[in-house]
Amino acid sequence: MKRVYLSSIILTVTLSLFTMSCQKKLVEKPYTVFTVDYFKTPSGLQNGVNALYSGLRFIYGSIGGMYLLNSGTDEWTYGDQVQGGGELEMASYALPSTNGHVLTMWNNNFANINLANALIQFAPEVEMDAGAKAVLVGEARFLRAYYYFLLVAQFGAVPLDLGGGELQFNQNPFQGFNRLPTDQLFIKNYQTIIDDLTFASQNLPAARPAGAFKLSKAAALHMLAKAYIYRAYSAAKQTTDFKSAWDAAKTIIDNQGTYGTSLLTNFADVNKEGNEYNPEILLSVERTPGNPIDNEVANIGNDFANKANISLNLFNCNYQNSVAIPAGSAKFPCDRVIQYSRPLRQFVPTPYVYNIAFADKLNDSRYGNSFRTMWRATNSNVAGISPGDTAYLLTASDAEGDAIIARGVPYRVIKPSEFYLPSRPALQMFPALTKYDDNKRQAPNDGSGRPFPIAKLSETYLLAAEAAIGDNRPADALPLVLAIRQRAAYRAGLSQTELEARQGRMRQRNTGTTANPVWVDLGVADMTLDFILDERTRELCGESTRWPDLACRNKLVERVKLYNLAAAARVAEKNNLRPIPQTQLDAINDPDKLQYQNPGY
């Protein structure tokens, strides 16, 4: 992985820049080294902004980014291939400042922030149409805000002065580290993020193009709402944060025609391969299916870091050779195939996911449309099972599994009490996330070329609901949550009567418990932060939001101790922040380096 420290920002900027094709997607046009004057030209400003978009590929899809955003939460524990190293450190909270995955954001985000500073600083000198320039500066300010937002959520206070002054481009080597005092800087960090996103929401186009993930007002308002909510739980909070988050989110919800967005009828279609540009997706990290060159991946079968998207492989179980049929026969009916992806077994859902959050798998379509629980045979190794027949079935409950086994079926039935956990490693089988499936790859080991969603309208609804709860208006949250749950009840082929029943339009109250919720009407009393977090699991499970969601809401320790036994013993309050990387501390020209580290590390 390329390492770029705050202490070594150089005179010229080396970038892989992009031009826009007729489809308005990022297409590679390589450059080498540019002087500052280049960014004072229209092409320099445009290509610099395109490079800022491209930088998000370092975060969304690489193993380091996926670990930072997902690992060690109430949703995800670690798989059998995690035997030690940086992955186990993150998943179990034995996290030192030398952990390599922490560098994924640290190194890349600051380099992109410095580029954004240059583009914003030099834009007044660029001679071009004023409207077009305002859009480009809006994009640069959104992306600067977002790179900072990702850093603040992970590390707390981070420098605004990279050596050239606050929010100024630095072109000289710098061995300082402008992080003190952290409490004041943290407040300024959030204000910078909010100011940049506010500017973006005022200057970007209302809607993104139909076939590209260029920034829009809707994406900016969505992230603005999220920034206000995160700040509302922090030491930088302001009394108006929840109300401001509500206003930003509701602006999108109430003006969907203007912003070109809408909830899809069927949850199954939101993450469906080939439907990436649907109107529910506000923003994705752009990639081009089947084109590793344009996706900046040199070795699509072996690259786990840099800009490779291996998300589809990380959440996958060992369907290939974990369970022999019949037992002890060493005969496995499934080969490694493109359809089922590479079984890297890094992220495993906790029992909270399949037993609690998705307790109702009949009325809520989101579990079945988020996870693979059935694999068909791809070879003829097992007598009685032909290619295309069911080979493995993961059941919704132990009772269901026992009933199916009693019928004498030839395939292997695996009950939830047998699903892989670090404490129960016998079978390396578990529900496998399907949201990132990519059947356009050339080989089973390949990474993905699909765009990676990072902002969806369904989350906007949940952000607005949470903002209403935080603002002591739970009654305003209820209809927003019901809109999401009613959509979740939809399945193709249901009669109207069945659909209405599953949408919870019956008149009985919710008599379920936390451990066994019932899919019926909700009331105002149900609108709590913990309910919203559960609903975020049902809607967004595996979508690289969970670790910052918990840490920034001060819920990480509580929920990890409740639901992630493999991490419960070690997780502590200090883990609401990551350690400042040791390489950064070593590079500082200050003998008292520990003063820059986060507490507890």
Side-chain angles (χ1 to χ4, degrees):
M1 181 181 295
K2 183 179 178 182
R3 297 185 177 182
V4 180
Y5 308 114
L6 295 184
S7 57
S8 58
I9 297 172
I10 58 177
L11 176 64
T12 54
V13 183
T14 302
L15 302 170
S16 177
L17 298 182
F18 297 80
T19 55
M20 305 306 293
S21 74
C22 58
Q23 289 82 23
K24 298 183 180 179
K25 298 179 185 178
L26 295 176
V27 177
E28 185 176 45
K29 184 176 180 181
Y31 289 80
T32 53
V33 178
F34 298 91
T35 65
V36 165
D37 287 340
Y38 178 69
F39 295 112
K40 299 177 182 179
T41 68
S43 63
L45 178 57
Q46 177 67 75
N47 284 326
V49 168
N50 292 341
L52 289 177
Y53 278 101
S54 172
L56 291 173
R57 293 172 173 173
F58 283 116
I59 310 302
Y60 289 100
S62 71
I63 192 167
M66 298 301 285
Y67 261 90
L68 283 167
L69 296 169
N70 296 284
S71 183
T73 62
D74 52 356
E75 291 181 354
W76 302 102
T77 185
Y78 56 90
D80 68 285
Q81 287 206 343
V82 179
Q83 299 295 318
E87 294 79 31
L88 186 60
E89 289 172 353
M90 297 200 78
S92 65
Y93 292 100
L95 186 63
S97 60
T98 54
N99 183 278
H101 291 317
V102 172
L103 293 170
T104 302
M105 262 186 210
W106 191 266
N107 292 349
N108 295 301
N109 285 28
F110 280 115
N112 280 291
I113 287 167
N114 196 46
L115 170 59
N117 287 343
L119 300 177
I120 296 163
Q121 183 176 329
F122 301 140
E125 300 179 53
V126 178
E127 295 183 2
M128 63 182 298
D129 176 78
K133 185 196 296 188
V135 170
L136 288 170
V137 174
E139 291 176 290
R141 292 192 65 172
F142 177 102
L143 290 162
R144 180 173 69 179
Y146 195 60
Y147 284 118
Y148 263 125
F149 193 27
L150 290 168
L151 286 169
V152 170
Q154 297 280 335
F155 299 99
V158 293
L160 293 173
D161 182 352
L162 307 185
E166 287 194 357
L167 300 179
Q168 298 296 302
F169 175 60
N170 178 37
Q171 55 182 326
N172 298 306
F174 178 62
Q175 290 184 285
F177 190 46
N178 295 312
R179 195 179 186 237
L180 301 176
T182 55
D183 54 348
Q184 296 177 29
L185 180 60
F186 185 67
I187 293 170
K188 293 172 74 173
N189 283 154
Y190 263 114
Q191 194 58 53
T192 295
I193 292 164
I194 287 168
D195 288 347
D196 274 354
L197 291 173
T198 299
F199 180 93
S201 72
Q202 295 166 348
N203 288 276
L204 291 171
R208 66 167 175 82
F213 288 113
K214 295 286 287 180
L215 285 164
S216 66
K217 291 182 186 293
L221 288 166
H222 175 95
M223 290 303 175
L224 183 60
K226 198 167 188 175
Y228 276 124
I229 282 179
Y230 276 19
R231 188 172 75 169
Y233 295 109
S234 78
K237 65 184 176 184
Q238 297 188 11
T239 57
T240 56
D241 280 342
F242 283 122
K243 178 61 166 60
S244 296
W246 165 268
D247 290 342
K250 278 286 281 176
T251 298
I252 306 171
I253 293 167
D254 293 344
N255 298 280
Q256 294 181 40
T258 298
Y259 298 122
T261 188
S262 62
L263 291 177
L264 302 190
T265 300
N266 189 351
F267 179 85
D269 292 335
V270 179
N271 295 293
K272 185 178 180 181
E273 184 178 1
N275 195 38
E276 288 85 0
Y277 297 96
N278 70 72
E280 188 162 331
I281 308 297
L282 307 181
L283 180 63
S284 284
V285 177
E286 191 79 89
R287 289 182 172 93
T288 305
N291 196 333
I293 300 301
D294 280 349
N295 294 333
E296 304 173 278
V297 181
N299 191 330
I300 195 170
N302 292 301
D303 197 348
F304 282 19
N306 300 311
K307 295 184 178 181
N309 179 7
I310 61 167
S311 55
L312 74 167
N313 299 321
L314 296 173
F315 297 88
N316 210 0
C317 66
N318 192 6
Y319 67 88
Q320 182 185 2
N321 56 18
S322 175
V323 181
I325 304 177
S329 67
K331 294 182 177 180
F332 305 98
C334 288
D335 302 307
R336 184 179 299 192
V337 293
I338 289 173
Q339 176 188 359
Y340 296 143
S341 304
R342 186 176 187 174
L344 286 182
R345 290 124 59 196
Q346 297 291 307
F347 299 128
V348 177
T350 65
Y352 157 74
V353 171
Y354 46 80
N355 288 335
I356 297 176
F358 288 108
D360 189 340
K361 301 175 182 65
L362 174 65
N363 296 308
D364 190 342
S365 72
R366 291 173 290 188
Y367 179 78
N369 289 316
S370 298
F371 291 95
R372 178 174 291 108
T373 57
M374 189 266 284
W375 287 259
R376 297 186 182 277
T378 61
N379 61 49
S380 302
N381 286 342
V382 178
I385 299 179
S386 301
D389 291 347
T390 298
Y392 304 117
L393 177 67
L394 277 57
T395 59
S397 66
D398 279 17
E400 180 188 59
D402 290 335
I404 295 172
I405 291 169
R407 300 198 326 243
V409 297
Y411 51 85
R412 182 63 159 87
V413 177
I414 302 171
K415 299 177 290 185
S417 60
E418 299 176 288
F419 294 173
Y420 174 89
L421 290 172
S423 60
R424 191 172 65 214
L427 301 182
Q428 298 152 11
M429 295 291 286
F430 49 84
L433 195 72
T434 57
K435 291 180 176 180
Y436 304 122
D437 281 1
D438 183 350
N439 288 288
K440 292 184 175 65
R441 296 167 298 125
Q442 297 301 306
N445 284 1
D446 286 354
S448 174
R450 292 183 63 190
F452 194 110
I454 58 175
K456 297 162 62 173
L457 183 63
S458 57
E459 185 186 15
T460 312
Y461 275 74
L462 294 176
L463 291 172
E466 182 179 357
I469 293 167
D471 200 34
N472 297 312
R473 295 181 288 111
D476 290 335
L478 183 59
L480 297 166
V481 170
L482 289 177
I484 297 298
R485 287 171 71 89
Q486 287 170 359
R487 190 274 292 277
Y490 177 87
R491 293 181 195 267
L494 288 179
S495 70
Q496 187 63 28
T497 299
E498 290 172 319
L499 178 60
E500 289 181 1
R502 293 187 180 189
Q503 286 178 334
R505 293 175 180 169
M506 299 83 81
R507 293 290 173 248
Q508 65 263 42
R509 284 289 302 132
N510 185 348
T511 57
T513 66
T514 300
N516 187 27
V518 179
W519 192 259
V520 296
D521 279 346
L522 295 168
V524 172
D526 298 300
M527 297 296 99
T528 66
L529 175 57
D530 280 312
F531 176 85
I532 291 294
L533 288 172
D534 290 343
E535 197 66 18
R536 288 182 68 86
T537 290
R538 291 184 275 267
E539 192 69 29
L540 304 170
C541 191
E543 297 187 25
S544 290
T545 65
R546 196 60 174 186
W547 193 91
D549 277 350
L550 296 182
C552 292
R553 291 172 171 86
N554 304 305
K555 282 287 190 175
L556 180 70
V557 175
E558 173 190 335
R559 291 182 74 98
V560 169
K561 285 185 177 295
L562 275 174
Y563 299 127
N564 187 336
L565 294 181
R570 279 196 169 123
V571 70
E573 288 301 322
K574 73 172 187 177
N575 298 124
N576 284 309
L577 295 175
R578 309 293 194 183
I580 302 300
Q582 190 62 43
T583 49
Q584 177 62 55
L585 298 178
D586 292 343
I588 299 171
N589 187 20
D590 187 330
D592 185 11
K593 301 177 188 298
L594 192 59
Q595 65 180 320
Y596 300 101
Q597 183 57 275
N598 279 325
Y601 290 102

